[in-house]
Amino acid sequence: MVDDNTLAKIKEALEVFRPQLNADGGDMEFIQVDEENKVHINLTGACGGCSMATMTLKMGLERYLKEVCPEVSEVVQDNAEDFTQQDFFY
């Protein structure tokens, strides 16, 4: 688990990144930082169901958070669709 100072840096970095999501009609909700230093978020609004959400998450938000706060190991979207559990009919 991260200390209070690191948690504050993470939350501040999320607020700096937020306008990029807002510009496309999306937003995010901070959930937690787990014991493996993974930052858990929910993407909401237009970002919640966007096909580019993973790209935004990994190449945008995760990259930025790791630059600002090297303690972050990964950013995880808790509300991501799990397409492996869906039945597809052809």
Side-chain angles (χ1 to χ4, degrees):
M1 194 74 170
V2 296
D3 59 41
D4 290 342
N5 187 38
T6 303
L7 183 59
K9 281 182 10 183
I10 290 169
K11 288 183 176 183
E12 183 179 332
L14 291 174
E15 290 306 315
V16 169
F17 194 84
R18 185 181 304 278
Q20 294 183 44
L21 298 176
N22 294 156
D24 290 325
D27 206 349
M28 67 181 146
E29 172 189 11
F30 172 77
I31 305 300
Q32 70 171 349
V33 179
D34 69 17
E35 61 279 345
E36 296 175 346
N37 289 349
K38 293 180 183 179
V39 176
H40 292 257
I41 64 161
N42 286 334
L43 291 176
T44 61
C47 293
C50 177
S51 61
M52 295 300 290
T54 300
M55 181 73 74
T56 299
L57 190 73
K58 294 297 181 181
M59 299 304 294
L61 182 56
E62 183 175 290
R63 179 183 285 182
Y64 176 68
L65 272 178
K66 285 181 172 182
E67 285 177 18
V68 173
C69 193
E71 298 88 350
V72 171
S73 64
E74 184 178 7
V75 176
V76 179
Q77 182 183 356
D78 284 356
N79 66 337
E81 293 274 337
D82 184 0
F83 293 107
T84 63
Q85 301 300 313
Q86 294 183 2
D87 293 325
F88 292 98
F89 300 97
Y90 298 98

